[in-house]
Amino acid sequence: MLPSSIQISGEPLSGAEVRDICRGLRDNAVRLLSLRGCRLCDRDFGRICRALAGATSLAQLNLNLGVVSSPSRIKQLAEALRTNRSIQSLFLHGSPLTDAGLALLNPALALHPALVALDLGDCMLGDEAINLICGLLPPDGAKSGLKELTLSANPGITPKGWSRLAIAVAHSSQVRVLNLDYNPLGDHVAGMLAVAVASSRTLEVLDLEGTGLTNQSAQTLLDMVENYPTALRSLVLAENSISPELQQQICDLLSEGEEEEEVAGGAGDTQEWERGREPAAHQRGSSSWMCPSDPSSKMVLMTSGLGDSLLAETEM
């Protein structure tokens, strides 16, 4: 039997449900486990973590919206990740990790052989956490690192932290998707990110929604897109003080570049999946942002639009 998915949102988990989840993980019958916003006791959380440790079919784990709610749970999750070898996407959006919690989790993240997508949005992170995250974005020639990183709504990160991340992204050979929406970045940080985008050979999606940008940074981004060849395909600038005309110019240039690539290389079929990260970092409702999915698919994978290709590459 092919592995299936378990998706529960915003519900208290009974002991029987936890037993079923653990059984499915131990039997390697679960490919996606999403317990987004679910409530369960510490004992049951520990049982799930122990089952996670030995699961070999689990590719995606969604514990968004406060499931990992204490240092003890962070330690249990870290212990599970040290043993697990299959998880490729981990979503912890809306978890009160803080820098101290990420420090507990980081050794397991850094050594995990399969992890390519990580959502740490709205996790109360600061500059110390950024230093650890940069270690998950190794430079060219180093071990494989993250391909998708979400750091939405972490206002404790200062411009110094963002500059360090920009340098890491510029030198990383892996990152394709970078979500920084709902952080108070401002024009100065946006300028540093423009340099990182121009330097990166892989970054395809950059989300800067609601980050305090103005026409000044938009003009810098426009010049970058217009004059320097990049891998960038999508740049999100909504909810900023940027004129619609500048946004449209940037969008048109990115569209032209994508069309040229398709003509040169042949347009391949792409599939869009449900996103595991939260639709907006400042919202903790039960709704989720949906992409059109392949009607023939038997399972909804909770990654970004690039998630299917990331999974395929890892499995190969």
Side-chain angles (χ1 to χ4, degrees):
M1 181 177 67
L2 292 175
S4 61
S5 64
I6 297 175
Q7 300 185 61
I8 308 172
S9 181
E11 300 289 340
L13 296 182
S14 67
E17 288 174 318
V18 170
R19 284 193 296 274
D20 288 342
I21 291 169
C22 293
R23 185 181 303 112
L25 291 169
R26 286 194 297 269
D27 293 344
N28 294 315
V30 180
R31 180 170 174 79
L32 181 155
L33 176 61
S34 175
L35 303 178
R36 180 182 179 274
C38 289
R39 300 181 296 280
L40 69 166
C41 68
D42 288 342
R43 176 175 174 271
D44 284 342
F45 183 85
R47 292 169 61 194
I48 291 175
C49 284
R50 288 191 291 274
L52 284 173
T56 59
S57 65
L58 186 67
Q60 302 193 36
L61 177 61
N62 186 330
L63 299 176
N64 284 352
L65 303 186
V67 178
V68 186
S69 57
S70 65
S72 64
R73 291 193 179 192
I74 295 171
K75 291 177 182 178
Q76 289 174 314
L77 178 59
E79 190 63 33
L81 292 174
R82 287 191 188 97
T83 305
N84 178 275
R85 292 292 180 269
S86 65
I87 294 174
Q88 299 168 35
S89 300
L90 176 63
F91 303 111
L92 298 175
H93 199 115
S95 303
L97 298 182
T98 72
D99 289 358
L102 187 61
L104 294 174
L105 198 58
N106 184 69
L109 297 176
L111 295 175
H112 199 287
L115 189 68
V116 293
L118 179 63
D119 187 342
L120 296 175
D122 198 10
C123 285
M124 305 171 63
L125 304 181
D127 288 358
E128 292 183 15
I130 286 292
N131 293 338
L132 299 175
I133 291 167
C134 288
L136 305 178
L137 307 175
D140 295 351
K143 67 182 181 68
S144 178
L146 295 177
K147 297 182 180 179
E148 178 171 342
L149 174 62
T150 295
L151 291 172
S152 314
N154 282 293
I157 300 172
T158 71
K160 180 180 179 181
W162 292 124
S163 66
R164 184 175 178 86
L165 179 70
I167 294 170
V169 170
H171 287 275
S172 171
S173 60
Q174 300 292 325
V175 180
R176 296 184 185 181
V177 180
L178 182 61
N179 300 302
L180 303 180
D181 46 316
Y182 298 99
N183 285 296
L185 303 181
D187 291 332
H188 178 64
V189 172
M192 293 187 289
L193 291 171
V195 175
V197 172
S199 302
S200 173
R201 297 189 301 273
T202 60
L203 188 63
E204 299 179 8
V205 178
L206 177 60
D207 189 345
L208 298 177
E209 180 176 359
T211 51
L213 309 188
T214 69
N215 285 343
Q216 176 185 330
S217 52
Q219 187 63 57
T220 300
L221 292 165
L222 175 62
D223 292 342
M224 180 268 296
V225 172
E226 188 172 21
N227 296 308
Y228 297 92
T230 72
L232 197 66
R233 296 182 180 181
S234 175
L235 178 60
V236 183
L237 296 173
E239 295 193 32
N240 287 296
S241 298
I242 299 173
S243 69
E245 292 78 15
L246 272 175
Q247 293 196 48
Q248 190 60 51
Q249 283 180 273
I250 294 172
C251 182
D252 290 344
L253 285 169
L254 291 175
S255 298
E256 288 174 8
E258 189 170 358
E259 289 172 1
E260 290 173 1
E261 288 181 4
E262 289 177 352
V263 170
D269 294 331
T270 60
Q271 296 177 328
E272 299 288 346
W273 309 94
E274 182 180 357
R275 294 171 76 99
R277 78 183 190 103
E278 296 305 301
H282 64 299
Q283 297 177 357
R284 294 193 178 187
S286 59
S287 62
S288 61
W289 185 87
M290 291 287 294
C291 286
S293 59
D294 178 5
S296 65
S297 175
K298 296 182 179 179
M299 182 175 63
V300 179
L301 299 184
M302 302 182 70
T303 69
S304 76
L306 294 174
D308 53 328
S309 61
L310 300 188
L311 287 172
E313 290 174 8
T314 305
E315 289 171 350
M316 288 173 64

